[in-house]
């Protein structure tokens, strides 16, 4: 019975003199009891621990949609693992909360603020709701339960991404890289040779982009552009270009903004000039439209751009959802002399636990879903690179040359700077980059302005 | 009694009588509450919900604005630091200025356009009036998300409606949402061109309540339709205008959906507004203390504007 119905009933009975002898305090007490009951009903369940220290109860795990099964269920993998784990651990229930990937950071952030976090969640530590401040405040549990043998099975850069002050705060599960995707049909149409083994210099890239920009129907309007990408906070497809001449956004210990260095400024201006000077990129180049940019490359009805940089997911998308004849190439090499790309590391985080007994079971489940077999399966089915060396050694992309080529680029990965205020810094940089790409400011002007604003944050 | 006296009588009702009606009740307020306890009991559910979901969060936000929010530890009292940080922030100043510009253009435009549209619809027959009433109210019941998506298409550089029209006139296409000097204006134009449905409906209802005697008296005194509109309709719609101006100002200061759907505050903060910034500070940066301070500042600004508008437009002036 709802609170409103109860009050209405009391008033009705009062009118009929049924409860006229009831004191007001009794009515008030009843209402309070109901209210407290409602609030208690919203509380969580911490489970129970027996005399031997064995914990039973519910573990909550959040996850986003992964690859579909025959019934188009994109959570079937975790549901299978849940069933297996529950069979092995009587009294333990795994509760799966399905959260779309796009909503996960916001939802997790709100739940952290409300101290109602899940036990486990998949978090890309390089750009998520979780920051080093949360680690400092004890929201994230340290991963101190992996053996040395187990730890040595992970790639170093994957472990580094989840390491804070020499302690590990997550189990790396996957690595993603950004790579250049080249539409080979358009190369063929223009008689342009793609770069051998996907390696090229900036000059070769520019030459290729010029050759791929053309007016197909002779109406005086360009129908296909050589290249385009977008600029948006939290997204780094364009950024490997900015590193090509040796520039980087911050110095190594993230205490100084360095994207206004001559090397970075030149690289930023070079990429913007593809549209502003060379006319080999459309007006959308450097805008904030993610979906439209991808559609322009992948959608069969468009295909108005020949080359775009994308994260790993786009390779699978171009193989399945948008079948495209394409190849994977590296980012062009500039004055630095070697190719670079930006990567991300996904993994499982354990949130603060009330008891050591529960933490032990949660840890067991985390290991259960991130062992070598699961990472191999994730690589084959879901299109992410394993964070475990043993899973990569199983050669998950033996039948997938494009993914295999992208995986080779894992060695070129640099991570975005790790700083507690990175989101604010990133917002300033990306905002200034946008005005460079729409021609309102030069790269030097924009990055000098960014430096001024970022210095205030760093101070 | 000639026309002007009738008008005076209608506009300025007997103040003595008015005073009598509003004479303060001297009975003990508690006795009064006790007598009407059933009414208060009926109000209780709503009051509980109001307290839980409005009053407590508002008070909590005020408290939070003086604190640094910590998740697993007690919050730290920081005095006015969050307020100082807000006013020192370049983005906050930019958001404040953008919101002010958005409001200063859209509110007068919406109110005046609603008044003109309502005045044009009012003399029509019942059927036509109902048709236009529904047509102009339709955008109000349509989700702003949908409207924003349609407008995004209209502003698209390559295939948008606006650039198509400019193309017919031989004018070069404009990157409406991508240039920092045009993005905010694109949003302002959008807000101005979406009919202010609530305003139109309220004006129509208020126009229907104006006594026809006033217009008859004014006609006898030789006043034409324009003069009648200026000296009878507009003055008597002042309470409605006051309400709509305050409502519209609050809505404009709280503009959010259009921003998050169309520009995300960019490029380079050119369309950043206060509520969008508060959202980002709170739910992207998780700096709830700073977000709370920004909210309190917004509350203060809206309060000041509302008081000024109330004083300028109140009925008994």
């Amino acid at each position: 019975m709802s609170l409103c119905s109860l009050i209405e009933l009391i008033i009705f009975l009062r009118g009929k003199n049924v409860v006229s002898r009831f004191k007001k305090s009794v009515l008030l007490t009843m209402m309070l009891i109901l209210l407290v009951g409602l609030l208690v009903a919203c509380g969580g369940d911490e489970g129970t621990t027996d005399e031997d220290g064995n914990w039973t109860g519910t573990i909550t795990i959040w996850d986003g949609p992964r690859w579909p099964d025959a019934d188009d269920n994109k959570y079937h993998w975790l549901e299978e693992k849940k069933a297996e784990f529950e069979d092995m651990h009587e009294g333990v229930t795994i509760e799966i909360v399905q959260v779309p990937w796009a909503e996960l950071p916001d939802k997790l952030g709100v739940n952290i603020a409300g101290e109602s976090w899940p036990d486990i969640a998949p978090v890309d530590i390089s750009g998520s709701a979780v920051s080093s401040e949360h680690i400092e405040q004890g929201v994230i549990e340290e991963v101190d339960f992996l053996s040395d043998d187990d730890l040595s099975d992970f790639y170093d850069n994957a472990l580094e991404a989840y390491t804070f002050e020499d302690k590990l705060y997550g189990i790396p599960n996957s690595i993603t890289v950004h790579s250049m995707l080249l539409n080979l049909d358009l190369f063929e149409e223009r008689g342009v040779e793609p770069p051998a083994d996907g390696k090229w210099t900036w000059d070769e890239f520019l030459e290729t982009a010029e050759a791929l920009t053309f007016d197909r129907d002779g109406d005086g309007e360009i129908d296909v552009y050589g290249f385009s990408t977008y600029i948006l906070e939290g997204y780094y497809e364009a950024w490997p270009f900015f590193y090509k001449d040796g520039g980087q956004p911050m110095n190594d210990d993230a205490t100084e903004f360095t994207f206004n260095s001559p090397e970075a400024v030149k690289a930023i201006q070079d990429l913007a000039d593809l549209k502003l000077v060379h006319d080999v990129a459309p007006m959308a180049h450097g805008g904030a439209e993610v979906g439209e940019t991808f559609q322009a490359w992948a959608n069969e009805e468009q295909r108005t751009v020949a080359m775009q940089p994308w994260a790993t997911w786009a390779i699978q998308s171009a193989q399945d959802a948008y079948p495209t004849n394409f190849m994977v190439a590296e980012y062009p090499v500039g004055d630095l002399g070697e190719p670079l790309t930006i990567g991300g590391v996904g993994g499982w985080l354990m949130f603060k636990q009330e008891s050591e007994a529960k933490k032990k079971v949660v840890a067991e489940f985390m290991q259960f879903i991130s062992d070598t077999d699961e990472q191999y399966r994730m690589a084959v089915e879901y299109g992410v690179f394993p964070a475990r060396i043993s899973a990569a050694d199983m050669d998950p992309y033996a039948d997938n040359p494009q993914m295999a080529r992208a995986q080779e680029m894992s060695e070129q990965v640099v991570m975005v700077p790790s700083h507690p205020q990175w989101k604010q810094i990133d917002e300033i940089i990306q905002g200034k980059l946008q005005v460079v790409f729409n021609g309102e400011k030069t790269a030097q002007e924009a990055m000098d302005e960014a430096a001024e604003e970022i210095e205030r944050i760093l101070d | 009694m000639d026309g002007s006296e009738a008008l005076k009588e209608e506009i300025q009702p007997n103040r003595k009588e008015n005073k009598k009606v509003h004479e303060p009740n001297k009975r003990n307020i508690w006795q009064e509450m006790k007598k009407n306890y059933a009414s208060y009991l009926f109000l209780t559910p709503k009051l509980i919900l109001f307290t839980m979901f409005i009053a407590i969060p508002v008070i909590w936000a005020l408290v939070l604005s003086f604190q640094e929010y910590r998740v697993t530890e007690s919050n730290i009292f920081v005095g006015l630091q969050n307020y100082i940080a807000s006013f020192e922030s370049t983005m906050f100043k930019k958001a404040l200025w953008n919101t002010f510009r958005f409001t200063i253009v859209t509110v007068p435009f919406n109110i005046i356009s609603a008044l003109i549209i309502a005045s044009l619809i009012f003399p029509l027959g019942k059927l036509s009036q109902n048709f236009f009433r529904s047509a102009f109210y339709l955008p109000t019941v349509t989700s702003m998300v949908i409207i924003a998506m349609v407008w995004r298409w209209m502003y698209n550089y390559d295939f948008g409606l606006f650039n198509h029209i400019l193309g017919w006139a031989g004018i070069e296409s404009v990157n409406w949402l991508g240039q920092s000097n045009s993005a905010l204006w694109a949003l302002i134009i959008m807000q101005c061109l979406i009919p202010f449905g609530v305003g139109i409906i309220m004006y129509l209802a208020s126009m229907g309540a104006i006594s026809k005697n006033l217009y008859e008296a004014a006609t006898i005194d030789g006043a034409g339709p324009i003069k009648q509109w200026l000296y009878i309709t507009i003055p008597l719609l002042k309470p409605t205008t006051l309400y709509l101006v305050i409502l519209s100002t609050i809505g404009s200061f709280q503009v959010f959906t259009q921003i998050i759907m169309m520009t995300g505050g960019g490029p380079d903060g050119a369309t950043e507004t206060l509520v969008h910034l508060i959202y980002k500070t709170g739910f992207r940066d998780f700096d709830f203390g700073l977000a709370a301070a920004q909210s309190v500042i917004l509350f203060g600004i809206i309060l000041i504007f509302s008081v000024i508008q109330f004083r300028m437009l109140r009925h008994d002036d």
Side-chain angles (χ1 to χ4, degrees):
Chain A
M1 184 191 294
S2 75
L3 197 63
C4 307
S5 315
L6 179 71
I7 292 166
E8 281 160 18
L9 180 67
I10 291 168
I11 292 167
F12 173 76
L13 296 175
R14 180 78 178 92
K16 298 282 180 190
N17 288 325
V18 176
V19 288
S20 57
R21 285 163 295 168
F22 269 38
K23 289 183 178 174
K24 281 177 201 166
S25 58
V26 176
L27 293 177
L28 195 66
T29 309
M30 282 172 67
M31 284 166 63
L32 280 173
I33 288 168
L34 192 71
L35 197 63
V36 170
L38 282 170
L39 292 173
V40 168
C42 300
D45 168 26
E46 282 309 319
T48 51
T49 309
D50 66 17
E51 289 168 355
D52 301 328
N54 297 319
W55 179 87
T56 51
T58 303
I59 294 170
T60 309
I61 181 169
W62 288 12
D63 199 21
R66 295 180 188 268
W67 69 97
D69 63 4
D71 300 323
D72 205 29
N73 176 11
K74 292 183 176 172
Y75 294 88
H76 67 97
W77 167 75
L78 193 55
E79 284 165 2
E80 283 167 26
K81 302 315 293 174
K82 162 194 156 80
E84 287 171 29
F85 193 80
E86 284 174 351
D87 283 347
M88 292 188 290
H89 298 78
E90 201 179 327
V92 174
T93 307
I94 308 291
E95 187 191 348
I96 300 169
V97 178
Q98 301 179 359
V99 189
W101 292 115
E103 290 172 21
L104 203 140
D106 279 358
K107 192 171 172 168
L108 193 56
V110 172
N111 279 56
I112 290 172
E115 297 188 37
S116 58
W117 43 71
D119 295 305
I120 306 168
V123 173
D124 179 347
I125 202 79
S126 58
S128 73
V130 176
S131 72
S132 52
E133 281 181 352
H134 289 129
I135 294 172
E136 281 174 350
Q137 291 174 27
V139 177
I140 314 296
E141 288 282 357
E142 185 189 345
V143 174
D144 51 6
F145 44 82
L146 294 180
S147 66
D148 287 347
D149 274 358
D150 216 3
L151 285 171
S152 64
D153 189 30
F154 288 93
Y155 286 107
D156 286 343
N157 56 1
L159 287 177
E160 275 165 28
Y162 284 87
T163 302
F164 179 73
E165 292 180 348
D166 298 327
K167 290 178 181 170
L168 187 66
Y169 287 93
I171 300 183
N173 193 50
S174 60
I175 297 173
T176 56
V177 299
H178 291 96
S179 58
M180 294 281 293
L181 305 187
L182 280 45
N183 183 324
L184 293 178
D185 288 339
L186 290 171
F187 274 75
E188 197 180 326
E189 185 178 347
R190 297 293 291 164
V192 179
E193 273 300 311
D197 199 27
K199 293 176 186 290
W200 45 5
T201 62
W202 170 260
D203 290 338
E204 288 165 348
F205 163 74
L206 179 58
E207 213 174 285
T208 307
E210 282 169 344
L212 291 167
T213 302
F214 65 102
D215 170 14
R216 186 180 275 143
D217 53 14
D219 65 353
E221 300 278 329
I222 290 175
D223 297 306
V224 177
Y225 286 93
F227 178 81
S228 82
T229 188
Y230 65 97
I231 304 283
L232 187 63
E233 56 183 280
Y235 293 85
Y236 302 100
E237 271 82 354
W239 283 45
F241 284 99
F242 307 150
Y243 287 69
K244 77 178 170 63
D245 296 324
Q248 54 181 36
M250 298 182 85
N251 61 356
D252 290 338
D253 54 0
T255 53
E256 200 185 327
F257 175 74
T258 53
F259 245 3
N260 57 344
S261 67
E263 300 84 20
V265 164
K266 177 180 171 291
I268 293 167
Q269 196 64 59
D270 277 350
L271 195 68
D273 284 348
L274 291 179
K275 173 174 83 174
L276 304 172
V277 175
H278 304 290
D279 291 325
V280 297
M283 183 55 81
H285 177 57
E289 299 292 345
V290 186
E292 279 179 27
T293 302
F294 184 66
Q295 292 289 323
W297 181 81
N299 192 326
E300 203 176 351
E301 290 173 12
Q302 295 187 33
R303 305 264 162 97
T304 53
V305 177
M307 304 183 285
Q308 284 183 351
W310 285 104
T312 319
W313 64 265
I315 297 175
Q316 284 237 319
S317 188
Q319 289 173 339
D320 303 329
Y322 296 92
T324 308
N325 177 23
F326 74 103
M327 72 172 275
V328 173
E330 292 175 357
Y331 281 81
V333 176
D335 294 346
L336 184 66
E338 60 185 67
L340 281 180
T341 185
I342 299 268
V345 182
W348 299 102
L349 290 193
M350 186 199 297
F351 290 83
K352 187 178 167 61
Q353 298 296 315
E354 291 301 319
S355 71
E356 277 301 314
K358 183 177 178 186
K359 184 181 171 183
K360 205 175 146 194
V361 184
V362 175
E364 208 178 317
F365 185 62
M366 275 175 80
Q367 288 172 279
F368 184 64
I369 56 175
S370 55
D371 64 15
T372 300
D373 289 341
E374 295 313 318
Q375 292 208 2
Y376 172 78
R377 192 175 170 198
M378 200 76 81
V380 172
E381 303 283 0
Y382 192 48
V384 288
F385 305 129
R388 281 183 182 273
I389 297 163
S390 56
D393 287 346
M394 291 166 77
D395 202 6
Y397 306 116
D399 302 325
N400 192 335
Q402 284 130 335
M403 283 296 284
R405 182 67 186 89
Q407 193 181 8
E408 286 171 22
M409 292 169 63
S410 301
E411 294 162 13
Q412 305 163 6
V413 162
V414 290
M415 306 298 283
V416 292
S418 174
H419 191 279
Q421 268 85 44
W422 174 249
K423 283 179 186 169
Q424 288 100 309
I425 295 169
D426 181 49
E427 181 190 22
I428 294 168
I429 298 173
Q430 305 267 23
K432 297 299 176 192
L433 287 172
Q434 285 176 347
V435 295
V436 176
F437 279 73
N438 65 23
E440 290 179 62
K441 285 179 183 155
T442 64
Q444 188 68 63
E445 288 166 349
M447 288 304 111
D448 284 344
E449 281 180 15
E452 234 174 83
E453 290 180 35
I454 291 167
E455 288 307 321
R456 268 181 242 137
I457 294 173
L458 298 176
D459 288 345
Chain B
M1 190 192 291
D2 69 6
S4 57
E5 277 177 11
L7 181 65
K8 195 177 169 187
E9 192 78 7
E10 194 79 28
I11 295 173
Q12 294 183 323
N14 193 326
R15 283 178 184 269
K16 268 184 190 173
E17 215 171 273
N18 229 10
K19 201 175 175 185
K20 200 176 170 184
V21 170
H22 295 292
E23 201 174 307
N25 194 334
K26 288 176 184 170
R27 271 191 292 176
N28 186 311
I29 194 164
W30 291 111
Q31 282 178 343
E32 189 70 18
M33 283 179 77
K34 199 174 170 185
K35 188 183 164 195
N36 300 315
Y37 82 97
S39 311
Y40 288 104
L41 209 54
F42 271 113
L43 283 173
T44 307
K46 182 69 186 168
L47 201 63
I48 289 170
L49 293 176
F50 174 81
T51 308
M52 281 174 70
F53 297 110
I54 308 280
I56 291 174
V58 167
I59 294 165
W60 177 233
L62 190 64
V63 174
L64 203 55
S65 71
F66 298 103
Q67 296 178 331
E68 184 190 321
Y69 185 80
R70 314 284 292 177
V71 182
T72 53
E73 307 151 14
S74 301
N75 294 351
I76 302 164
F77 179 76
V78 292
L80 292 173
Q81 199 175 300
N82 287 328
Y83 290 91
I84 294 166
S86 296
F87 284 112
E88 280 179 353
S89 155
T90 313
M91 196 50 87
F92 183 79
K93 282 184 251 182
K94 206 180 256 187
L96 192 61
W97 174 233
N98 287 341
T99 310
F100 184 73
R101 281 200 294 168
F102 185 86
T103 304
I104 213 81
V105 179
T106 58
V107 171
F109 191 93
N110 281 336
I111 299 294
I112 293 167
S113 63
L115 179 63
I116 292 170
I117 292 169
S119 302
L120 292 172
I121 294 173
F122 188 68
L124 300 175
K126 201 178 172 186
L127 202 65
S128 311
Q129 206 184 98
N130 283 343
F131 170 75
F132 284 111
R133 202 193 292 251
S134 310
F136 281 112
Y137 195 71
L138 199 61
T140 312
V141 295
T142 309
S143 163
M144 181 49 83
V145 174
I146 305 296
I147 294 173
M149 284 169 73
V150 172
W151 276 82
R152 242 174 72 156
W153 167 77
M154 292 203 288
Y155 280 136
N156 187 285
Y157 182 85
D158 294 315
F159 47 80
L161 181 70
F162 287 105
N163 280 348
H164 208 65
I165 293 167
L166 290 179
W168 287 341
I171 300 169
E172 209 173 305
S173 293
V174 176
N175 189 3
W176 294 95
L177 299 172
Q179 297 281 133
S180 49
N181 52 7
S182 63
L184 185 67
W185 285 105
L187 294 173
I188 289 172
I189 290 168
M190 169 190 160
Q191 188 67 24
C192 288
L193 293 183
I194 298 170
F196 185 28
V198 174
I200 294 167
I201 296 294
M202 291 202 65
Y203 271 134
L204 282 171
S206 301
M207 282 174 185
I210 299 173
S211 169
K212 285 194 171 52
N213 293 344
L214 298 173
Y215 293 101
E216 284 167 9
T219 308
I220 292 164
D221 282 354
I226 302 284
K227 276 196 170 175
Q228 286 179 24
W229 190 70
L230 286 173
Y231 296 109
I232 298 174
T233 309
I234 291 179
L236 288 176
L237 289 177
K238 242 182 166 184
T240 311
T241 304
L242 170 66
Y243 173 75
L244 290 175
V245 166
I246 290 174
L247 192 79
S248 183
T249 304
I250 293 170
S252 285
F253 268 111
Q254 294 180 341
V255 60
F256 176 76
T257 316
Q258 300 93 308
I259 308 299
I260 201 163
M261 288 298 299
M262 296 177 73
T263 62
D268 191 24
T271 57
E272 191 63 86
T273 58
L274 281 176
V275 174
H276 188 252
L277 183 67
I278 292 167
Y279 166 76
K280 283 201 304 192
T281 309
F283 297 107
R284 184 197 64 183
D285 306 336
F286 305 109
D287 193 343
F288 291 103
L290 185 61
Q294 291 168 344
S295 307
V296 174
I297 294 168
L298 175 62
F299 171 77
I301 292 167
I302 291 175
L303 188 70
I304 292 166
F305 266 80
S306 300
V307 169
I308 293 170
Q309 287 165 349
F310 196 81
R311 286 189 173 276
M312 285 172 69
L313 291 167
R314 68 182 172 190
H315 187 49
D316 56 356
D317 274 352

